[in-house]
Amino acid sequence: MKERDGSDFFSSCLMADNSFAVQELINNNSLAVQELMSGNSLVVPEHSLVSASNSLVIGQEFPDVETCRRAFKDIAIAFHFDLRIVKSDRSRFIAKCSKEGCPWRVHVAKCNGGPTFSIRTLHGEHTCEGVRNLHHQQATVGWVARSVESRVRDNPRYKPKEILQDIREQHGVAVSYMQAWRGKERSLAAVHGTFEDGYRLLPEYCEQIRKTNPGSIALVYATGQENCFHGLFISYRASIYGFLHACRPLLELDKASLKGKYLGTLLCASAVDADHTLFPLAFAIVDAESDDNWMWFLSELRKLLGVNTDKMPTLTILSERHKGIVDAVETHFPSAFHGFCLRYVSESFRDEFKNTKLVNLFWNAVYALTSAEFEAKVAEMMEIQDVMPWFHLFPPNLWAVAYFEGMRYGHFTLAITEALYHWALEGHELPIVQMMEHIRSQLTVWFDERRNLGLSWTSILVPSAERLTLEAIADSHCYQVLRANKVEFEIVSSERTNIIDIQRRCCSCRRWQIYGIPCAHAAAALLSCGEDVRLYAQECFSVRKYLEAYSEIIYPVPDRNLWKGFVEGTDGGFQKADIIIRPPKTRRPPGRPKKKVLRIESLKRPKKVVQCGRCHLLGHSQKKCTFQI
């Protein structure tokens, strides 16, 4: 076999008298090491191992002893020989090959009058056969951490099994899963700081948010004599302004469990913009989900919205049927209309009755616009089975369109759930400050992209509302229009007659009032008198309001090294002299956490039965849906 020692390249790479050449040697030698590997064993030339004499020279300098140690460990791994450290202190570093009788040896000492270290003695030839397998004593947790630090910086979700594979391919070394896991933990701490540092940084982080984004709310609370973390509440002024001035009066409340070292729960209140896209308003991280923490979150949200805003009398809140949320909404938003997510309600109905026909009738009852239509569907259900006991547990005014007093604008399930799940999944391995910075960065990108998208639209209404308006106009041609006076019309069809009042913007079918966009009956009346149907949609669906929602900017927070009032602690972290917030007492139990797969449409469908994701009826897919919502 032909020997590939790469000595010519490494000698030219390291002739310069600086320590950076050593690192270049290691980085570029990974391919050479791979070529020396065959299966699980190292292919060794017949006469000797790869020589490292040409890769090191007497007089080679290192900035400090720690850099020296790391460099020689890297060289030992790159050239696949075991390194035995004889002496290592503040003034010298002596190492030799661990194989008995091998002459390889190096002596590095501190330079006079300076902090650098230089090679004084070097016997660079190996006579041993080196390490003949994939395991290497120098491949410690610290070495793994340094090897993957740049990758972890770019991708905090870098998995230990991926680390195992990459290290084996790049360095020809096998490490254990635990080494990979601990190495990743050290890399995360080196890049982002420790979890404990994150809690200590919270007071100044909140101060930085308030400084860089004036008008924003950023509060942190601790509890007990030890100042253990209790809750963090953040809402940016850009989000507050956009909700109060441009979004519809609708809020979704939901939570996501965190799986980090100290667990916790991420709470969120999100609005919906003109184009039915999520518009996060406020975030909170609490030590645990509890009724008290929901009460605290809703109290902060109430303060944020104020008392005399135009949205408060008509505000609709959607959430899961959680007792803590229900009590908190009743306490802090007594005038708001509180509706439940139909994912939870429909699951309860399906589990209770397990009848496909009943489920279809249930969804027909959900979408029924008038009480007469609703009662007709209930009567059909009663012919199959008595559903009244279930109706006592889930009153129709909480989920049925015909009886719900607020405006859901067609939102029957929580859209924020999926976004929260992904944020929690992406950020649970980061300290709390970095996790909130990840969310802030996502919001910044959303605001910028949607602002640019809105500037490209030339219509009056946003695309989703424009599409619904065009559908209403197309369906309006089959109606006969009878005008009663300037504002009232009678729309006659083969099925029924509807009364339209264009001044009050209402139709007897109730679709205009419920969804905020003119129905086909209203379109027929408006077209008959020469009016533009688009101008009679609610203003919150206009492109102008969409642009206003994203008109404010979320400004970045400076790097923590620039924060005033913080000094570097003895453990390498940052802390404030007068305020120290400690982690919560809850900690993640040992072992790998169980992964919960989020299924947005987890309605426990019967096997081989297709359910439409648009109208939720069984028997057809969303592509073939003809039901008008």
Side-chain angles (χ1 to χ4, degrees), residues 49 76 79-86 94-106 123-131 137-138:
L49 185 69
F79 289 103
H80 258 264
F81 68 90
D82 274 334
L83 185 72
R84 179 184 172 189
I85 299 176
V86 180
I94 303 174
K96 66 177 185 177
C97 180
S98 64
K99 296 293 183 179
E100 191 69 30
C102 183
W104 191 95
R105 184 181 180 89
V106 66
H123 299 284
E125 294 295 332
H126 281 278
T127 60
C128 66
E129 59 185 12
V131 179
Q137 291 183 356
Q138 304 304 323

Side-chain angles (χ1 to χ4, degrees), residues 27-87:
N27 294 337
N28 288 282
N29 194 37
S30 59
L31 291 177
V33 172
Q34 291 181 56
E35 293 179 2
L36 288 171
M37 303 300 296
S38 175
N40 293 335
S41 301
L42 180 65
V43 177
V44 183
E46 295 180 358
H47 53 85
S48 67
L49 185 69
V50 177
S51 174
S53 60
N54 291 330
S55 63
L56 296 170
V57 294
I58 295 177
Q60 178 77 41
E61 290 191 359
F62 303 90
D64 50 57
V65 70
E66 185 60 32
T67 304
C68 176
R69 293 190 191 107
R70 292 178 179 179
F72 279 100
K73 286 183 179 181
D74 291 342
I75 290 173
I77 291 173
F79 289 103
H80 258 264
F81 68 90
D82 274 334
L83 185 72
R84 179 184 172 189
I85 299 176
V86 180
K87 294 285 185 181

Side-chain angles (χ1 to χ4, degrees), residues 456-469:
S456 68
W457 293 336
T458 57
S459 58
I460 298 175
L461 301 178
V462 296
S464 58
E466 186 81 12
R467 183 174 60 255
L468 292 175
T469 304

Side-chain angles (χ1 to χ4, degrees), residues 191-481:
V191 173
H192 301 291
T194 65
F195 283 88
E196 292 75 17
D197 287 338
Y199 290 104
R200 285 198 293 266
L201 286 167
L202 281 178
E204 183 62 17
Y205 176 67
C206 291
E207 181 64 24
Q208 291 296 324
I209 291 177
R210 295 191 293 266
K211 285 181 179 179
T212 55
N213 293 268
S216 300
I217 299 174
L219 305 169
V220 60
Y221 294 93
T223 183
Q225 296 181 350
E226 298 180 358
N227 279 340
C228 292
F229 172 80
H230 179 65
L232 171 70
F233 183 92
I234 294 177
S235 180
Y236 294 97
R237 182 187 180 278
S239 297
I240 299 172
Y241 177 89
F243 174 69
L244 293 179
H245 292 85
C247 291
R248 64 197 75 176
L250 177 71
L251 282 177
E252 296 183 3
L253 304 178
D254 206 357
K255 51 83 180 178
S257 299
L258 303 176
K259 303 297 183 183
K261 182 177 180 180
Y262 293 99
L263 300 177
T265 303
L266 174 64
L267 309 180
C268 182
S270 177
V272 182
D273 66 19
D275 203 34
H276 295 285
T277 310
L278 285 176
F279 189 88
L281 174 60
F283 303 92
I285 293 182
V286 292
D287 51 2
E289 184 187 14
S290 65
D291 294 352
D292 291 339
N293 282 335
W294 274 115
M295 190 70 71
W296 167 76
F297 180 64
L298 269 293
S299 69
E300 296 297 335
L301 190 63
R302 181 74 169 92
K303 297 174 187 176
L304 177 155
L305 296 178
V307 179
N308 298 317
T309 64
D310 296 335
K311 292 186 181 293
M312 293 301 292
T314 58
L315 181 65
T316 296
I317 296 177
L318 303 179
S319 72
E320 293 181 345
R321 197 189 184 201
H322 187 287
K323 183 179 182 301
I325 302 177
V326 173
D327 293 342
V329 170
E330 290 179 353
T331 301
H332 297 290
F333 295 91
S335 63
F337 304 101
H338 192 188
F340 292 156
C341 172
L342 288 194
R343 187 183 307 115
Y344 171 80
V345 177
S346 63
E347 285 179 353
S348 174
F349 188 89
R350 182 186 297 274
D351 291 341
E352 179 69 22
F353 299 106
K354 297 180 177 63
N355 185 299
T356 300
K357 188 174 182 180
L358 270 180
V359 171
N360 282 340
L361 289 172
F362 167 79
W363 283 110
N364 285 330
V366 168
Y367 293 124
L369 299 176
T370 63
S371 57
E373 294 176 7
F374 179 85
E375 295 300 333
K377 298 301 177 183
V378 173
E380 292 183 47
M381 286 191 277
M382 291 295 291
E383 292 178 359
I384 300 174
Q385 191 171 347
D386 185 10
V387 296
M388 285 304 161
W390 185 88
F391 275 38
H392 291 308
L393 295 175
F394 295 88
N397 65 305
L398 298 177
W399 50 269
V401 172
Y403 290 100
F404 186 69
E405 298 178 3
M407 290 189 66
R408 302 179 72 127
Y409 296 93
H411 289 263
F412 298 100
T413 59
L414 297 177
I416 187 61
T417 302
E418 186 174 9
L420 274 180
Y421 175 80
H422 287 299
W423 280 335
L425 186 64
E426 293 168 358
H428 80 272
E429 295 192 65
L430 299 174
I432 187 170
V433 169
Q434 278 69 30
M435 182 168 64
M436 298 311 296
E437 276 294 279
H438 172 74
I439 294 176
R440 183 198 58 77
S441 299
Q442 181 69 76
L443 292 182
T444 302
V445 171
W446 283 358
F447 268 61
D448 184 59
E449 291 178 348
R450 295 172 186 177
R451 190 184 304 114
N452 294 332
L453 180 64
L455 291 172
S456 68
W457 293 336
T458 57
S459 58
I460 298 175
L461 301 178
V462 296
S464 58
E466 186 81 12
R467 183 174 60 255
L468 292 175
T469 304
L470 292 176
E471 291 176 359
I473 292 174
D475 294 340
S476 67
H477 299 304
C478 62
Y479 297 131
Q480 179 185 2
V481 181

Side-chain angles (χ1 to χ4, degrees), residues 7 116 151 157 266 282-283 297 386 399 406 444 467 492 499 555 582 606:
S7 60
T116 60
R151 184 75 180 269
R157 296 177 64 188
L266 174 64
F283 303 92
F297 180 64
D386 185 10
W399 50 269
T444 302
R467 183 174 60 255
V492 181
I499 307 301
Y555 294 96
R582 305 185 189 280

